[in-house]
Amino acid sequence: MSAAGAGGAAGDSQQVRKASWQSSLANPGQRVSALHHSARLSDLTIILPGLNTPIKAHRLVLAMSSPVFEAMLYGPLAEGPEVALQEDPPEALTWLLEYMYRGTTRLPDVAMTVKVYQVASKYQVEPLMALCSEYLQATLTAANLPEIYDTAMLLEDTRLLQRCSQIVNHSPTAVLTSPQLGRLSRSALTHLLDHPLHITSEVVLLQAILRWGRAQGTRKQLREEIEEFLPQIRFLTLSTDEFVEHVMPAGVLSLSEMTALLMNIKRLEGMALPALCCPERDKRLCYDETLLRCLTLAPRPSAPRSRKQARGSIFVHAQNEQVLIADLRTATPLQLARIECRAIHPTSGLACVSVKDSEGNELAAVAAEGSEARFPGPVQLRPSAAHSITVSMEGHWPRGELGEAMATEDEVRLTARVAYTEGRTGSVTLHFWSFN
């Protein structure tokens, strides 16, 4: 080969090296990622509804992640070079491709995750399905539950449905008053109403059903739309004032039905209950032990004291009342059932635990059994009001400081100042019902 020819070959080789996109990428994952949003080596065009620009894709990448795509693109009935996915939301399918090419796992929000979950289920991308389910379980609240409930039922996601049931059992009023309630399908609403629904008044349920019916946007009359749900409402638990104020203006019951219901509410004889009305007279609110929730308040100690100061204040013989929790506040109404705290375990004699309101009035008092104090009935704690819990006991009381404490779970948030002693930072666990 002549010198000129050899020089030309070397120049071509250098040009190939400069033009090589693979050389700058360290591993197969980076190379697959580089193909995304690129027509390079693509052998498939995806057409999505509402998306003006078709997506260039690679059969192998899609088939690697999805058995459905593998059958669709490599099976006996394989599609040609162009495939139209008319039923898939473009934004969800686009996100799915990001996951397939780039391994993207950071889901943006609940609304998108619901769509991605459904698309991932359709194409049997099981790792992504698990990711979506975990995200929805972690972000589920009473407010966004209607967005998620249908998907949990449709995909038969047992763990997500269990989490939904937990939210409905603990926060039925918040679920039923959610602005998103109208998004529930008929079957999802039926499933939801099968829960015990620990609500203080049937007015909450009536208004929820009415709001759902109006949100359906069909040509049916409201009565026709919601008629199958009316037997769920315990009209006989309403007062006459509640009936007149909320049921009569709704316009979904006939005059004869309303008359019969009012007479039955007043327990007047001689008037049969309308066929569509529930005969139940017991209110739904039920303080069942299985529905108890708990939060632990662990104080953050204030400025440290010297060992001498601490030693001189740990044990004080006292029979007078000591503060266990001060400035206890809750963001939502809750009903206190019992408390647990090792500090109330007396060295001798008995301990009496009291719950007081902001003015010092005693709401409830009970003798402690060991480190636990169980109240005879639910103790109502009002939102934003300051409550306190005190202990009177014989024997040695570990006198100390009050440290700031805060605990949250779902929509329940507690703040307080909790007693502790130097070197023995304590905590108090509150067991309560919260049907918000």
Side-chain angles (χ1 to χ4, degrees):
M1 182 182 291
S2 66
D12 289 344
S13 177
Q14 289 177 357
Q15 197 170 14
V16 168
R17 281 199 298 273
K18 287 180 182 178
S20 171
W21 62 274
Q22 298 93 335
S23 60
S24 62
L25 302 170
N27 55 59
Q30 291 182 1
R31 295 179 196 117
V32 171
S33 179
L35 293 176
H36 193 37
H37 296 309
S38 169
R40 193 190 303 274
L41 303 180
S42 69
D43 55 0
L44 182 68
T45 300
I46 300 176
I47 299 173
L48 293 172
L51 206 63
N52 295 329
T53 305
I55 298 175
K56 293 294 183 180
H58 306 77
R59 293 170 179 265
L60 181 60
V61 175
L62 273 62
M64 285 167 55
S65 299
S66 162
V68 175
F69 273 125
E70 182 180 14
M72 184 187 300
L73 302 175
Y74 288 101
L77 303 176
E79 301 279 351
E82 187 174 283
V83 58
L85 304 177
Q86 299 293 342
E87 297 178 357
D88 298 331
E91 63 276 20
L93 202 286
T94 301
W95 201 97
L96 177 65
L97 293 175
E98 287 280 346
Y99 172 83
M100 290 177 168
Y101 278 87
R102 300 181 183 273
T104 302
T105 57
R106 187 168 182 174
L107 293 155
D109 54 43
V110 168
M112 175 66 84
T113 302
V114 166
K115 294 177 183 178
V116 170
Y117 193 3
Q118 293 178 1
V119 170
S121 175
K122 176 180 177 179
Y123 294 109
Q124 297 178 22
V125 187
E126 294 189 8
L128 182 55
M129 291 173 63
L131 183 71
C132 291
S133 178
E134 290 170 5
Y135 177 88
L136 293 176
Q137 289 175 55
T139 56
L140 183 65
T141 65
N144 65 25
L145 181 140
E147 285 187 83
I148 298 170
Y149 206 94
D150 273 292
T151 297
M153 288 186 59
L154 177 67
L155 303 184
E156 299 180 346
D157 186 332
T158 304
R159 294 185 65 183
L160 185 55
L161 276 172
Q162 288 175 344
R163 179 70 179 129
C164 287
S165 291
Q166 184 183 41
I167 295 289
V168 174
N169 286 335
H170 287 158
S171 306
T173 300
V175 170
L176 293 173
T177 56
S178 168
Q180 305 292 330
L181 188 74
R183 299 179 61 170
L184 286 175
S185 66
R186 186 174 294 274
S187 59
L189 180 61
T190 301
H191 191 274
L192 187 151
L193 296 184
D194 283 340
H195 288 78
L197 299 179
H198 299 280
I199 52 180
T200 55
S201 172
E202 294 298 294
V203 170
V204 175
L205 179 56
L206 170 66
Q207 291 177 339
I209 291 173
L210 291 171
R211 192 165 57 255
W212 179 88
R214 295 186 185 110
Q216 300 315 295
T218 66
R219 294 184 178 181
K220 295 180 181 178
Q221 295 292 321
L222 182 58
R223 166 67 180 257
E224 184 183 0
E225 191 74 66
I226 67 172
E227 188 158 13
E228 68 179 279
F229 301 119
L230 291 178
Q232 300 271 9
I233 303 170
R234 300 182 182 183
F235 289 106
L236 298 185
T237 66
L238 296 174
S239 67
T240 53
D241 286 346
E242 287 176 320
F243 192 90
V244 170
E245 184 177 350
H246 298 285
V247 179
M248 295 179 70
V252 293
L253 298 179
S254 68
L255 180 59
S256 61
E257 288 170 336
M258 289 189 290
T259 302
L261 274 170
L262 274 171
M263 291 183 69
N264 277 274
I265 289 172
K266 298 291 287 182
R267 297 181 182 271
L268 300 176
E269 297 182 359
M271 182 62 75
L273 194 66
L276 62 78
C277 294
C278 173
E280 184 65 63
R281 287 185 177 273
D282 292 333
K283 287 185 176 289
R284 294 176 186 268
L285 196 57
C286 169
Y287 297 109
D288 191 315
E289 284 279 323
T290 62
L291 297 174
L292 275 174
R293 307 167 73 173
C294 69
L295 282 175
T296 298
L297 290 167
R300 297 189 297 273
S302 56
R305 297 175 296 167
S306 69
R307 184 174 296 179
K308 181 178 179 181
Q309 289 173 318
R311 189 167 53 246
S313 64
I314 288 180
F315 294 107
V316 175
H317 186 79
Q319 294 182 352
N320 59 315
E321 191 172 56
Q322 307 288 338
V323 175
L324 183 63
I325 299 179
D327 296 328
L328 174 61
R329 297 175 186 270
T330 171
T332 53
L334 60 84
Q335 297 78 39
L336 188 61
R338 65 178 187 267
I339 67 168
E340 289 181 78
C341 179
R342 285 185 299 173
I344 66 173
H345 184 63
T347 56
S348 64
L350 298 173
C352 180
V353 177
S354 299
V355 181
K356 299 182 178 182
D357 62 19
S358 57
E359 297 177 354
N361 299 313
E362 190 173 84
L363 302 178
V366 66
E369 298 178 3
S371 60
E372 183 178 84
R374 289 174 173 264
F375 298 102
V379 183
Q380 303 288 336
L381 301 186
R382 294 181 291 108
S384 301
H387 302 82
S388 62
I389 298 178
T390 62
V391 182
S392 298
M393 66 184 186
E394 301 171 356
H396 295 294
W397 169 256
R399 188 181 71 188
E401 308 288 339
L402 288 172
E404 300 291 335
M406 188 266 286
T408 60
E409 181 191 66
D410 296 330
E411 78 294 342
V412 177
R413 182 175 184 272
L414 298 177
T415 59
R417 291 187 297 135
V418 180
Y420 73 95
T421 57
E422 191 76 19
R424 300 200 312 170
T425 300
S427 62
V428 182
T429 299
L430 278 64
H431 298 260
F432 58 89
W433 292 278
S434 178
F435 304 124
N436 302 312

